[in-house]
Amino acid sequence: MPAYDDDLPTDEEEALLRRLTDNTEREERFRALIEFKNLILGSKRCKSAFFRVGTLDMLYNLLKEYSLPIDSDILIQIFDCISSFAKSTNKNLTQRLIELGFIEQILLVLIDDQQSKLFYESALRCLRSFFLSKKFANPYLSPIPFILLCDQNKFEPKSSSIIIDKSPSSYKLSPVEILFSNSQSLDILHRLLSISKSTQISVLEILCCACVDNQRQQEIMGKDFIPMIMHLLIENIFYHKRIHLVTLANEYLIEVCLKFLCSISYENPSIAQQLYSTISSETNQSLCEIVASLLKKINRSMIISYYASKFFVNLCKTKVLSCDDPYVSHQSLASLIHLCAKSNQNQCIYLYIECLDTLIYLLNGNSSLHHTAIYTEQLLSQLFNYLFTPSKIFGENLDETAIIQIRSSALTLLAVLSSHHEDIKKRIAEQENLITTAIECYRSSNLSLQIASLRLFHGLSRSVHQLRTTFNDTICDILLDAIKSSDLALVKIVSSVVSNSVLEFSICRTRLLSGGILDILLTFLTHSDQELSINSIWALRNLSYLSTLKIKQDILNGLTIERIYSLLEQCTDKQFLICLLSLLRNLFNEKDTEILLPMFNSTKLLSTLERLLKKNYPGEIHREVNFLIDYLHSNNHPTQKRLSSDSATSSCRSSLFPEYDCDEMDQLDCS
């Protein structure tokens, strides 16, 4: 790709700029603007060259000059020029557009309600260009950080609202913040929504990008856009009762309507519930029925099918719909699988990546859908194709970035599918060349492939059988290498794999210990990242289960008795505390009690535990505390009957594996 950073306007282009700045005659300026627009449209060189000589400042002055009073013909040409600049990939250029105040000025012009349809269409297209810029991408339209989940987390999940960068350099000058800083902006967009198909598309795309968090979603929802969206859908969907077919008047408008519904409902239970309860006054249909009708035709636009499916996925993930609701389990899931396995000729690979990522989002934590998803083998077969031979499917000229993305998504979806049911784990792990390919992906230089491969190992590590068979020395070496990485995301996901891999029946355990994993885990206990710290105490808890006296002593020496007491008294993280209590219970195995318990001073430990019982902790913590108290009492009074130690150690082990019970760590496995 040629670079134009050092280019300057040619003599002819300089002359054109002088005509724009020096000549105040309206018609001459109008003609000069048209010539200027034709020069910059599609030309990276011209945009870069004009930017270097301060043309944006000149363009902003022209915008203000012809806004009072409004000269619609000239402003339309200016809007087109601004729009072209806003689509530039030059970050300095797009940032300068924001700094100069183009968005505020365009919104100011749009207050006037006496202009032509062409004027509003041009102004909104220009405004939309700022929001669709890659520099100011909406994080709500991107995949959320991946956390491998279980169906029934023993601790409530934390809010998954995306936090965007609010530093002065990015937050205050983002198009979304500028839009919401004007109290009239949403009212203006609401008014312009009814002018034409073009304004409807522009307004909806702007609103999609404005749904950056729950607060902004609520503000948009408060302006009553939903009835108008429903009207647009109904207006463009025709149901033929005789032949039971749905035809569409304007596919692209429907795509944008559905995209808006997905954006405004994403990770927002309140809005998702409102949408679920919305009934059309025109047809007496629910919004869900209207959207579901778009999934019934096999040859529907892939994008419409994708967004209609994603809408129901959002309702499911916000718990408005259960995962076994027909909208989810029959229509949405089936459509997404069909899209992933559809003929790939002449299709956009990024749509397939989006479909895979949405399946990841849906199936992660909803294991009851896993068998349905792989029932026909269609999905698994395609995932293996995407992973092993993507270039054969999409063509040899496929962009390397796209290949990496689709392979990463395929690996991650395989990780989700392998995280729960033992038969699915076995089917995936036994796929020829899968483990070898996952190892190669980790050894690549690409971080997303490395993380995706570790996610697969994490899913498989939840199986006793896989820990005893698949996790060979090569995988152990990968875990030891990854946990020393400087990348926090990589370290957090590998710490989750290690947490399962140090169990007494894992063939990795000895090699991990000889590789220094204990010292590394002890170091992570004081890490500033809370999730990594919790993963580490969880791993130590697992390592202590049925371990030798030497390992238990090493754990205690690393933690220190003083620090354990301090944590019991002062720890405010309930997840960390329950792991610490379980660790103590594992340490006090009957055969080692006489050696380890005196190190604690049983009287002091008993009083500390009794104080914990008086605090307002969840039942799981009180249960662990009671087990320890009972153990101490029975040790001091051997004739006293103890609570069943078998049940205690059994839950300690089986809770690690979803096929037996819920894995408490599932909510903590972060990437």
Side-chain angles (χ1 to χ4, degrees):
M1 293 285 291
Y4 304 112
D5 294 343
D6 299 325
D7 280 18
L8 291 172
T10 63
D11 292 342
E12 292 81 0
E13 290 163 353
E14 287 279 9
L16 178 59
L17 290 178
R18 285 193 294 274
R19 287 169 58 197
L20 283 171
T21 53
D22 299 344
N23 196 324
T24 58
E25 203 279 316
R26 181 192 178 280
E27 291 304 318
E28 178 58 28
R29 233 180 212 173
F30 181 71
R31 287 191 292 271
L33 273 170
I34 293 176
E35 289 181 45
F36 180 73
K37 177 184 73 173
N38 291 336
L39 268 179
I40 63 174
L41 286 176
S43 173
K44 290 184 178 181
R45 187 204 67 79
C46 285
K47 290 175 192 175
S48 179
F50 284 132
F51 170 58
R52 284 178 60 80
V53 295
T55 305
L56 296 186
D57 298 66
M58 176 270 293
L59 205 56
Y60 180 69
N61 291 332
L62 289 176
L63 176 63
K64 291 185 69 176
E65 179 181 343
Y66 288 99
S67 296
L68 285 173
I70 287 178
D71 186 324
S72 61
D73 290 337
I74 284 188
L75 283 179
I76 286 172
Q77 300 304 319
I78 293 174
F79 291 149
D80 290 346
C81 293
I82 298 168
S83 180
S84 183
F85 277 114
K87 294 172 184 174
S88 170
T89 55
N90 184 326
K91 292 183 179 180
N92 293 328
L93 190 158
T94 52
Q95 188 64 49
R96 183 59 181 159
L97 287 169
I98 298 291
E99 291 171 353
L100 284 169
F102 278 95
I103 294 177
E104 293 92 331
Q105 190 62 32
I106 294 168
L107 288 170
L108 193 63
V109 169
L110 286 172
I111 293 174
D112 190 318
D113 60 0
Q114 302 299 315
Q115 299 304 313
S116 67
K117 180 178 76 170
L118 186 62
F119 176 84
Y120 293 123
E121 289 175 347
S122 179
L124 285 171
R125 280 196 303 271
C126 178
L127 189 61
R128 177 183 63 176
S129 298
F130 286 92
F131 289 85
L132 296 181
S133 168
K134 291 182 180 179
K135 175 176 172 58
F136 303 104
N138 176 3
Y140 259 41
L141 301 179
S142 306
I144 63 172
F146 176 82
I147 302 174
L148 197 56
L149 298 176
C150 178
D151 297 326
Q152 303 168 330
N153 295 297
K154 294 191 176 182
F155 291 95
E156 287 299 314
K158 301 173 186 175
S159 169
S160 54
S161 297
I162 294 176
I163 300 173
I164 58 175
D165 183 8
K166 296 187 179 182
S167 60
S169 62
S170 62
Y171 183 72
K172 292 180 180 178
L173 292 178
S174 74
V176 172
E177 291 313 307
I178 295 171
L179 180 74
F180 283 101
S181 67
N182 184 334
S183 60
Q184 300 181 70
S185 294
L186 293 180
D187 294 321
I188 292 169
L189 295 178
H190 192 282
R191 170 174 59 84
L192 297 175
L193 194 59
S194 59
I195 289 180
S196 70
K197 299 291 184 189
S198 175
T199 63
Q200 288 162 357
I201 289 170
S202 293
V203 167
L204 288 174
E205 288 192 326
I206 291 169
L207 292 176
C208 286
C209 296
C211 293
V212 293
D213 55 33
N214 291 162
Q215 178 188 344
R216 298 312 186 195
Q217 289 169 326
Q218 294 293 159
E219 290 180 52
I220 294 170
M221 195 71 178
K223 292 299 180 179
D224 210 25
F225 280 97
I226 300 304
M228 296 187 73
I229 305 300
M230 287 189 73
H231 173 73
L232 290 177
L233 285 172
I234 292 166
E235 189 178 48
N236 287 278
I237 299 173
F238 301 101
Y239 182 70
H240 304 282
K241 292 184 179 179
R242 257 186 185 177
I243 54 178
H244 300 287
L245 277 180
V246 174
T247 57
L248 309 178
N250 190 317
E251 285 198 354
Y252 187 65
L253 180 57
I254 290 177
E255 290 170 6
V256 179
C257 287
L258 292 172
K259 182 180 178 182
F260 170 74
L261 293 175
C262 291
S263 299
I264 203 165
S265 63
Y266 179 71
E267 293 288 311
N268 194 318
S270 171
I271 290 179
Q273 184 62 56
Q274 285 178 261
L275 295 181
Y276 175 74
S277 306
T278 301
I279 306 292
S280 167
S281 58
E282 297 175 65
T283 64
N284 206 32
Q285 288 177 293
S286 70
L287 179 58
C288 287
E289 288 174 325
I290 294 171
V291 175
S293 70
L294 296 169
L295 291 172
K296 292 178 180 177
K297 186 179 177 184
I298 295 176
N299 294 323
R300 178 74 62 236
S301 150
M302 286 184 68
I303 297 176
I304 287 178
S305 296
Y306 167 68
Y307 280 119
S309 300
K310 190 171 185 176
F311 173 70
F312 291 120
V313 169
N314 286 357
L315 296 193
C316 174
K317 295 300 282 190
T318 50
K319 302 191 184 305
V320 172
L321 293 177
S322 65
C323 61
D324 58 357
D325 187 288
Y327 285 137
V328 179
S329 60
H330 294 166
Q331 293 179 286
S332 181
L333 178 60
S335 295
L336 288 168
I337 291 173
H338 174 72
L339 290 174
C340 287
K342 203 170 183 179
S343 172
N344 306 98
Q345 295 301 317
N346 302 318
Q347 297 290 351
C348 176
I349 186 174
Y350 293 101
L351 180 58
Y352 289 93
I353 294 168
E354 289 294 325
C355 289
L356 290 177
D357 289 344
T358 303
L359 276 174
I360 291 167
Y361 183 52
L362 171 62
L363 296 174
N364 189 22
N366 287 324
S367 63
S368 61
L369 294 175
H370 290 188
H371 279 110
T372 306
I374 68 164
Y375 179 72
T376 65
E377 285 281 321
Q378 185 183 36
L379 178 61
L380 280 184
S381 176
Q382 196 69 346
L383 290 179
F384 294 136
N385 288 335
Y386 288 154
L387 179 59
F388 298 146
T389 55
S391 58
K392 287 185 179 179
I393 298 173
F394 295 100
E396 296 294 335
N397 297 323
L398 189 63
D399 178 64
E400 181 65 24
T401 302
I403 291 178
I404 289 170
Q405 282 185 265
I406 201 158
R407 295 187 79 200
S408 298
S409 294
L411 263 177
T412 302
L413 186 48
L414 288 169
V416 171
L417 290 169
S418 67
S419 66
H420 194 91
H421 300 287
E422 189 64 35
D423 59 324
I424 300 179
K425 285 185 178 75
K426 190 171 185 293
R427 165 71 182 88
I428 290 173
E430 291 179 354
Q431 174 66 31
E432 186 178 0
N433 294 326
L434 176 64
I435 300 302
T436 303
T437 302
I439 291 170
E440 289 173 358
C441 286
Y442 175 77
R443 288 173 173 168
S444 74
S445 59
N446 184 270
L447 181 61
S448 64
L449 281 177
Q450 292 172 351
I451 288 178
S453 66
L454 291 173
R455 288 171 179 164
L456 177 65
F457 296 140
H458 180 204
L460 294 176
S461 73
R462 292 175 168 181
S463 162
V464 177
H465 177 71
Q466 298 303 325
L467 285 174
R468 285 173 171 162
T469 55
T470 302
F471 279 66
N472 54 32
D473 287 352
T474 304
I475 294 178
C476 291
D477 292 340
I478 282 175
L479 300 182
L480 288 169
D481 177 73
I483 208 160
K484 298 169 186 173
S485 170
S486 59
D487 185 90
L488 181 59
L490 201 69
V491 173
K492 284 162 70 174
I493 185 64
V494 77
S495 69
S496 299
V497 188
V498 167
S499 296
N500 290 340
S501 302
V502 294
L503 282 158
E504 50 91 20
F505 44 76
S506 169
I507 58 176
C508 269
R509 179 184 173 110
T510 303
R511 195 173 184 90
L512 289 173
L513 285 170
S514 63
I517 197 67
L518 178 56
D519 290 337
I520 294 171
L521 292 173
L522 289 167
T523 302
F524 287 161
L525 287 176
T526 55
H527 199 281
S528 58
D529 186 273
Q530 182 189 25
E531 292 163 348
L532 182 56
S533 175
I534 294 173
N535 282 357
S536 301
I537 190 68
W538 183 275
L540 291 173
R541 175 244 205 213
N542 288 351
L543 180 60
S544 67
Y545 179 65
L546 295 183
S547 62
T548 63
L549 177 61
K550 171 69 166 60
I551 292 174
K552 290 180 179 180
Q553 289 173 327
D554 288 343
I555 292 173
L556 279 177
N557 290 335
L559 271 171
T560 73
I561 305 299
E562 181 183 352
R563 187 175 171 201
I564 290 173
Y565 274 120
S566 174
L567 287 169
L568 289 173
E569 294 277 11
Q570 301 174 22
C571 180
T572 57
D573 189 291
K574 297 171 185 177
Q575 295 168 322
F576 190 100
L577 184 56
I578 196 170
C579 290
L580 178 61
L581 291 167
S582 299
L583 167 63
L584 290 176
R585 193 149 57 90
N586 287 343
L587 290 174
F588 297 145
N589 183 281
E590 291 182 12
K591 64 178 182 178
D592 301 320
T593 303
E594 293 181 0
I595 299 173
L596 298 180
L597 189 55
M599 298 170 63
F600 281 85
N601 183 333
S602 59
T603 304
K604 181 180 179 181
L605 181 58
L606 184 61
S607 62
T608 302
L609 293 172
E610 287 173 342
R611 285 195 295 274
L612 284 179
L613 280 180
K614 297 176 183 178
K615 296 183 179 180
N616 186 27
Y617 283 130
E620 290 86 354
I621 290 180
H622 284 165
R623 172 179 171 273
E624 292 292 334
V625 171
N626 280 322
F627 268 118
L628 282 168
I629 289 176
D630 175 71
Y631 190 89
L632 292 172
H633 280 315
S634 64
N635 188 70
N636 293 332
H637 308 283
T639 58
Q640 180 177 321
K641 186 178 179 180
R642 292 179 51 193
L643 293 174
S644 169
S645 61
D646 290 342
S647 64
T649 51
S650 175
S651 68
C652 185
R653 170 175 170 174
S654 64
S655 65
L656 291 169
F657 301 100
E659 60 266 26
Y660 300 119
D661 196 359
C662 176
D663 181 357
E664 293 159 334
M665 191 183 71
D666 286 344
Q667 181 58 28
L668 312 176
D669 301 337
C670 302
S671 62

